[in-house]
Amino acid sequence: MTESTITAASFQVGDRVTIHTSQSGPQSIAVVERYTHDKRCMVLSDGSEWKADGRRQWAFRGSFYKGPVVRPCLPEDEEHVGKRRAIGALRKFADGLSLESPLSGDALRRILDVIAHETAQAQSSTANKVDTGR
């Protein structure tokens, strides 16, 4: 479904949708909860309100809108949003670390071991794809 084929009829109550930003792609996932204003305003589970076609937020007053849009949820959107949130949580965790942190040295080493293991697996997986031509 392309941007031009998405209309107000593309979204039904109960549908999972993705809020996309033009810079970073899928930002969050929500569910269409209800319609208001004679089905012109779509209300999502995160509390945000959008025009029924998802092209701009409800009551946005401007002649040119270059903000987020709502699109039907795709499987790859969930992966992107999950990865984005995990990275944010890791950054917040790491930013709060100091020598006064309540975590023990052993706990921090276990975390580093898991990171090293996952990084090695990802690099191995990437190398295998290149070697086999996939």
Side-chain angles (χ1 to χ4, degrees):
M1 190 176 284
T2 65
E3 191 74 33
S4 61
T5 61
I6 297 173
T7 66
S10 300
F11 305 105
Q12 304 297 321
V13 172
D15 285 353
R16 288 173 54 85
V17 295
T18 306
I19 299 170
H20 281 256
T21 61
S22 57
Q23 294 86 12
S24 59
Q27 174 181 322
S28 63
I29 296 175
V31 175
V32 178
E33 286 194 338
R34 66 183 182 283
Y35 283 89
T36 60
H37 298 85
D38 296 324
K39 293 198 172 200
R40 292 177 292 138
C41 175
M42 179 172 51
V43 180
L44 302 183
S45 58
D46 65 359
S48 61
E49 296 179 341
W50 298 82
K51 297 268 187 185
D53 61 4
R55 294 201 179 144
R56 65 181 192 201
Q57 289 183 296
W58 184 254
F60 180 82
R61 288 166 181 55
S63 59
F64 183 71
Y65 183 71
K66 193 177 179 179
V69 295
V70 174
R71 296 183 184 159
C73 187
L74 302 173
E76 57 267 20
D77 293 346
E78 292 192 49
E79 170 68 23
H80 183 89
V81 170
K83 187 173 182 178
R84 177 184 173 126
R85 289 181 186 237
I87 289 169
L90 287 169
R91 285 182 175 161
K92 186 174 182 179
F93 168 77
D95 190 47
L97 284 178
S98 69
L99 288 176
E100 291 76 35
S101 176
L103 293 174
S104 70
D106 286 339
L108 292 170
R109 281 189 288 282
R110 286 193 303 273
I111 293 168
L112 285 175
D113 288 345
V114 170
I115 291 171
H117 175 74
E118 292 295 328
T119 302
Q121 277 193 311
Q123 289 172 343
S124 173
S125 173
T126 304
N128 286 341
K129 286 180 183 177
V130 171
D131 290 343
T132 59
R134 285 189 266 157

